């Protein structure tokens, strides 16, 4: 009897151990498929095949198959943490995940990681959106980065995390674009102080910043920082249109909130998509939105609020080749103390702005003149000058970036047809464009088809890239004038009547002026190169002028008129004109009316849908 009892006790113990082992293994297997664990390993699910990690560095994994087997990597990580608890200091986010979802771990003292957290010491966190910069292909669509706020110090000393490609210095632009599109560079997260970001974006590149303060708790922020610690010097393949800054920042936020911030139904990701997705799908994550204007925008905002008398004094003082204390006093003499402060403080913004646009000689002269203004300011009563802050519309209120458009078009030769248009991204001169470069256009993969009454399809145009930057000067102050320019390339019909199409490149260089905040006028030298000479030549040169005005939120219009002659056939000429109007004020819809002349007239009315 005693032997039977002993046998039963041993059997029950062995069965319980087997059950414990089985349950532990089931728990590990379940945890290995948790979205957070997969995100910590940066697993990606392709259209075809099984998921694998975007990180290929073997040092990031404990298991030899860790980049393709999340279960094996979790088991290997557990084993490493048991055998050597200090390994948790290398992967603190994994340690936090395992402690919460698998089993408690031995507590360890991670001196370097603790010092890292103590140095950042975040009280809360922000997502920063930077407007586009047409001087760099990777920055045309804007940028996003994270800022960890420490209220115990100056904001400029706050830490930021930024994701971007690393590429050789002085890389050729064509090589840079090609490698960026097709994954020829590695991307890394980098920790920099906020003053470095403001110097780069608002001062050097004259880009506006919008700060989205996020409602994340200390636990979520610490977990996110723990993962950023793990990603130090860990490369991932960088792609301009997908695995870019917006994609990686969205992935990081998802680790903290267990929610996706990637746009659905698009094979590409832009910074704009992230802020709009957060606003639409998780609005409670946003506590507030603060606007940080660029140095240029700060100048324009103040200049617009000056009275005519103040503007005359400012312009006279800045147009002088050399200003002395005596001459400045004379110029400012008709103004009262408050008006003098407004003029001088606007001049300070001008000097800061002009340092980014002038040559060394002009810069030296500006610095000398600035000293005179500083002396004049000290002679005035203390206190800030009175300027109203600009009410800026945040980027998530702009129209969405992908366009589908249907309409009716009437051509003198082809008659009336239906039209279908698709634009992959981004925006044109008439879209609702807060937080984008004023009076600019950035369009890629813009395709238009015509369909006649017999359902025959005519391929009218495919614009691979169209960039316009009018650089409209608004102050008339010395140095506040840049070149207006356009560049477009693609494939289009040359003549509907003769069924001719050609590759083309259009360009323009000129000047522009903005007499009012919502109006820009331009003129310049235009050129068109085509791959066929059916119209008389391959290269045409001429002049073009035009303008853009946003009359009200519900109505905007643009026009252009140009005349060219072919270089290799001077007796042949080309005259063209466009007048386009936008109606409605909606993020998803608008109505367009277009009148176009290019050897023949064409009229169209279209309904646009943005997503």
């Amino acid at each position: 009897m005693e032997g039977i009892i002993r046998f039963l006790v041993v059997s029950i113990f062995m069965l319980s151990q087997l059950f414990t082992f089985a349950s532990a293994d089931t728990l590990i297997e379940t945890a290995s498929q948790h979205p957070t664990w997969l995100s910590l390993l940066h697993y990606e699910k392709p259209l075809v095949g099984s998921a694998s990690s975007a990180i290929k560095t073997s040092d990031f994994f404990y298991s030899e198959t860790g980049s393709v087997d999340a279960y094996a990597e979790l088991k290997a990580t557990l084993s490493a943490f048991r055998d050597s608890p200090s390994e948790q200091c290398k992967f603190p986010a994994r340690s936090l995940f395992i402690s919460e979802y698998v089993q408690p771990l031995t507590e360890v003292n991670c001196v370097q990681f603790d010092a890292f957290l103590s140095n950042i010491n975040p009280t809360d966190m922000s997502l920063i959106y930077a407007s586009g910069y047409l001087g760099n292909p990777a920055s045309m669509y804007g940028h996003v980065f994270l800022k960890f706020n420490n209220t115990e110090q100056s904001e400029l000393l706050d830490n930021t995390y930024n994701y971007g490609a690393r590429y050789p210095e002085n890389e050729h632009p064509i090589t840079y674009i090609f490698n960026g599109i097709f994954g020829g560079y590695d991307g890394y997260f980098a920790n920099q102080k906020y003053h470095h970001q403001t110097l780069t974006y608002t001062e050097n590149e004259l880009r506006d910043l919008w700060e989205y303060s996020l409602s994340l708790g200390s636990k979520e922020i610490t977990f996110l920082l723990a993962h950023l610690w793990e990603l130090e010097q860990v490369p991932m393949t960088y792609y301009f249109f997908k695995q870019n800054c917006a994609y990686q920042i969205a992935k990081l936020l998802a680790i903290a909130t267990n929610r996706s911030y990637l746009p659905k139904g698009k094979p590409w990701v832009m910074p704009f998509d992230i802020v709009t997705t957060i606003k639409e799908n998780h609005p409670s994550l946003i506590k507030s939105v603060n606007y940080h204007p660029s140095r240029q925008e700060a100048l324009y905002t103040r200049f617009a609020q000056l009275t005519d008398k103040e503007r005359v004094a400012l312009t006279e003082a800045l147009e002088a080749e050399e200003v002395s204390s005596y001459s400045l006093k004379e110029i400012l003499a008709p103004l009262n103390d408050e008006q003098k402060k407004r003029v001088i403080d606007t001049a300070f913004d001008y000097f800061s702005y002009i340092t980014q646009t002038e040559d060394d000689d002009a810069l030296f002269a500006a610095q000398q003149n600035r000293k005179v203004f500083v002396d004049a300011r000290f002679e005035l009563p203390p206190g800030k000058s009175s300027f109203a802050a600009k009410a800026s519309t945040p980027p998530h209120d702009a129209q969405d970036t992908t366009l589908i458009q249907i309409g009716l078009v009437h051509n003198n030769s082809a008659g009336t047809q239906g039209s279908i248009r698709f634009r992959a991204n981004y925006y044109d001169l008439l879209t609702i464009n807060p937080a984008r470069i004023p009076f600019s256009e950035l369009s890629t993969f813009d395709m238009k088809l015509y369909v006649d009454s017999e359902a025959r399809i005519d391929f009218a145009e495919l614009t691979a890239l169209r960039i316009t930057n009018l650089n409209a000067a608004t102050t008339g102050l010395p140095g506040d004038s840049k070149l207006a320019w356009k560049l477009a390339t693609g494939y289009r019909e040359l003549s509907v009547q003769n069924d001719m199409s050609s590759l083309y490149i259009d360009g323009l260089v000129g000047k522009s002026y903005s007499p009012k905040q919502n109006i820009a006028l331009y003129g310049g030298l235009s050129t068109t190169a085509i791959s066929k000479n059916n119209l008389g030549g391959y290269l045409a040169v001429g002049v073009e002028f035009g303008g853009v005005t946003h009359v009200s939120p519900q109505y905007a219009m643009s026009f252009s008129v140009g005349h060219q002659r072919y270089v290799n056939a001077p007796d042949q000429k080309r005259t063209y004109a466009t007048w386009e109007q936008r109606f409605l004020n909606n993020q998803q819809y608008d109505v367009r009316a277009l009148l176009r002349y290019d050897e023949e007239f064409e009229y169209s009315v279209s309904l646009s849908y943005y997503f």
Side-chain angles (χ1 to χ4, degrees):
M1 185 68 180
E2 185 178 338
I4 294 173
I5 294 174
R6 189 181 298 113
F7 173 77
L8 290 173
V9 169
V10 171
S11 298
I12 292 171
F13 174 77
M14 292 180 66
L15 286 172
S16 67
Q17 289 297 106
L18 287 172
F19 179 76
T20 300
F21 292 149
S23 338
D25 198 58
T26 300
L27 182 62
I28 294 171
E29 187 173 3
T30 301
S32 72
Q33 300 307 308
H34 193 283
T36 301
W37 179 251
L38 297 176
S39 294
L40 290 176
L41 299 182
H42 288 260
Y43 269 45
E44 307 280 355
K45 183 68 172 72
L47 293 175
V48 179
S50 54
S52 63
S53 177
I55 297 173
K56 305 305 178 185
T57 305
S58 59
D59 291 345
F60 191 75
F61 303 98
Y62 286 108
S63 170
E64 291 184 359
T65 60
S67 64
V68 294
D69 189 339
Y71 172 62
E73 182 60 22
L74 181 53
K75 289 187 69 175
T77 302
L78 273 168
S79 178
F81 288 178
R82 289 196 199 102
D83 295 343
S84 179
S86 63
E87 284 292 299
Q88 295 178 59
C89 300
K90 183 180 177 182
F91 293 104
R94 294 192 194 186
S95 174
L96 291 169
F97 173 84
I98 289 172
S99 296
E100 181 172 351
Y101 290 98
V102 182
Q103 64 184 48
L105 295 170
T106 303
E107 291 189 11
V108 293
N109 183 22
C110 298
V111 177
Q112 290 181 318
F113 176 64
D114 291 342
F116 164 77
L117 289 179
S118 178
N119 175 60
I120 295 178
N121 191 27
T123 50
D124 58 23
M125 194 179 88
S126 301
L127 171 69
I128 307 290
Y129 176 95
S131 61
Y133 174 58
L134 297 180
N136 184 337
S139 302
M140 290 179 177
Y141 299 95
H143 186 60
V144 286
F145 60 91
L146 297 178
K147 174 170 168 279
F148 295 88
N149 307 309
N150 182 353
T151 55
E152 297 179 2
Q153 64 185 15
S154 167
E155 181 183 33
L156 294 176
L157 297 177
D158 287 341
N159 285 268
T160 68
Y161 267 93
N162 175 70
Y163 181 82
R166 289 186 186 174
Y167 50 89
E169 192 174 352
N170 300 321
E171 184 82 294
H172 192 280
I174 300 300
T175 304
Y176 177 69
I177 293 172
F178 181 86
N179 286 338
I181 293 175
F182 296 103
Y185 298 125
D186 285 333
Y188 294 84
F189 282 98
N191 181 351
Q192 295 171 315
K193 296 296 185 181
Y194 184 54
H195 66 78
H196 173 85
Q197 308 289 15
T198 58
L199 179 64
T200 298
Y201 295 117
T202 64
E203 301 289 340
N204 294 344
E205 297 179 354
L206 303 176
R207 300 164 70 176
D208 296 329
L209 301 179
W210 281 262
E211 180 174 357
Y212 288 76
S213 180
L214 305 179
S215 57
L216 293 176
S218 59
K219 179 181 177 181
E220 289 85 2
I221 295 174
T222 299
F223 187 62
L224 201 152
L225 283 170
H227 186 51
L228 284 167
W229 172 268
E230 297 173 346
L231 293 175
E232 183 74 21
Q233 298 302 319
V234 174
M236 289 178 278
T237 304
Y238 182 93
Y239 295 92
F240 278 166
F241 296 116
K242 186 65 184 286
Q243 280 85 350
N244 51 26
C245 65
Y247 182 89
Q248 298 297 351
I249 293 298
K251 286 285 191 178
L252 275 181
L253 291 176
I255 289 174
T257 64
N258 286 319
R259 300 179 71 157
S260 175
Y261 302 110
L262 295 174
K264 295 180 180 179
K266 290 185 179 180
W268 51 82
V269 182
M270 300 296 168
F272 170 83
D273 296 321
I274 305 307
V275 295
T276 54
T277 301
I278 293 175
K279 183 65 177 178
E280 292 170 2
N281 299 340
H282 195 184
S284 61
L285 182 62
I286 301 172
K287 290 194 297 185
S288 62
V289 183
N290 296 316
Y291 173 57
H292 304 285
S294 69
R295 182 61 64 186
Q296 181 185 47
E297 193 56 43
L299 168 64
Y300 288 178
T301 299
R302 287 191 169 185
F303 186 85
Q305 296 180 49
L306 295 179
T307 64
D308 290 341
K309 192 175 182 180
E310 292 166 343
R311 289 187 186 185
V312 169
L314 177 65
T315 303
E316 183 180 352
L318 295 178
E319 284 182 344
E321 290 186 9
E322 184 177 348
V323 61
S324 65
S325 297
Y326 176 78
S327 62
L328 182 59
K329 283 182 180 179
E330 280 196 328
I331 293 171
L332 298 179
L335 308 178
N336 61 37
D337 284 351
E338 177 58 33
Q339 290 172 323
K340 291 176 182 178
K341 286 195 291 186
R342 283 163 55 87
V343 169
I344 292 173
D345 288 352
T346 304
F348 289 154
D349 280 322
Y350 167 80
F351 289 127
S352 297
Y353 163 61
I354 214 70
T355 58
Q356 309 303 326
T357 60
E358 292 293 312
D359 56 34
D360 291 340
D361 292 338
L363 176 58
F364 178 77
Q367 290 172 341
Q368 295 301 113
N369 289 341
R370 187 182 189 280
K371 292 177 183 178
V372 178
F373 279 84
V374 170
D375 292 338
R377 186 66 169 87
F378 277 123
E379 294 179 4
L380 295 172
K384 295 181 178 180
S385 52
S386 58
F387 287 100
K390 179 183 177 181
S392 178
T393 306
H396 61 256
D397 284 337
Q399 280 183 311
D400 289 328
T401 57
T402 302
L403 165 70
I404 292 179
Q405 190 179 80
I406 58 173
L408 290 175
V409 56
H410 178 79
N411 183 283
N412 284 353
S413 299
T416 302
Q417 304 176 88
S419 66
I420 302 172
R421 179 185 174 194
F422 171 80
R423 185 180 69 208
N425 52 63
Y426 192 35
Y427 64 94
D428 58 51
L429 289 169
L430 299 185
T431 49
I432 301 171
N433 290 328
R436 295 169 185 161
I437 301 169
F439 307 119
S440 71
E441 176 178 6
L442 177 57
S443 298
T444 54
F445 198 83
D446 191 348
M447 180 177 64
K448 183 180 288 187
L449 305 175
Y450 291 158
V451 183
D452 66 16
S453 58
E454 298 180 5
R456 291 176 300 194
I457 297 175
D458 178 25
F459 188 90
E461 183 173 358
L462 172 60
T463 301
L465 175 67
R466 182 185 301 278
I467 307 176
T468 300
N469 191 0
L470 297 186
N471 274 319
T474 63
T475 67
L477 297 174
D480 184 27
S481 178
K482 299 179 182 178
L483 290 176
W485 58 276
K486 294 183 180 183
L487 177 66
T489 183
Y491 181 84
R492 68 184 173 206
E493 286 186 330
L494 299 178
S495 170
V496 174
Q497 188 174 12
N498 298 319
D499 193 24
M500 293 186 299
S501 300
S502 169
L503 298 173
Y504 75 92
I505 298 176
D506 287 338
L508 177 139
V509 176
K511 285 288 186 177
S512 66
Y513 176 63
S514 178
K516 291 187 177 181
Q517 191 173 13
N518 60 344
I519 300 175
L521 304 173
Y522 73 91
L525 177 69
S526 70
T527 181
T528 297
I530 57 177
S531 62
K532 294 181 180 179
N533 68 343
N534 302 65
L535 300 183
Y538 291 104
L539 179 65
V541 177
V543 294
E544 177 182 314
F545 68 91
V548 184
T549 177
H550 289 255
V551 178
S552 72
Q554 288 76 29
Y555 178 75
M557 59 158 282
S558 67
F559 72 93
S560 63
V561 178
H563 181 77
Q564 297 176 332
R565 286 191 178 274
Y566 288 92
V567 174
N568 57 320
D571 58 321
Q572 299 296 319
K573 60 186 179 180
R574 174 188 177 222
T575 301
Y576 59 93
T578 62
W579 178 35
E580 186 173 12
Q581 303 172 81
R582 171 185 59 81
F583 304 90
L584 302 181
N585 178 23
N586 188 284
Q587 280 189 282
Q588 272 70 53
Y589 298 95
D590 67 32
V591 174
R592 298 290 182 103
L594 174 64
L595 168 63
R596 184 169 67 175
Y597 175 80
D598 196 346
E599 306 307 323
E600 52 193 2
F601 280 101
E602 188 173 277
Y603 318 84
S604 65
V605 177
S606 306
L607 174 65
S608 308
Y609 171 65
Y610 301 87
F611 64 97

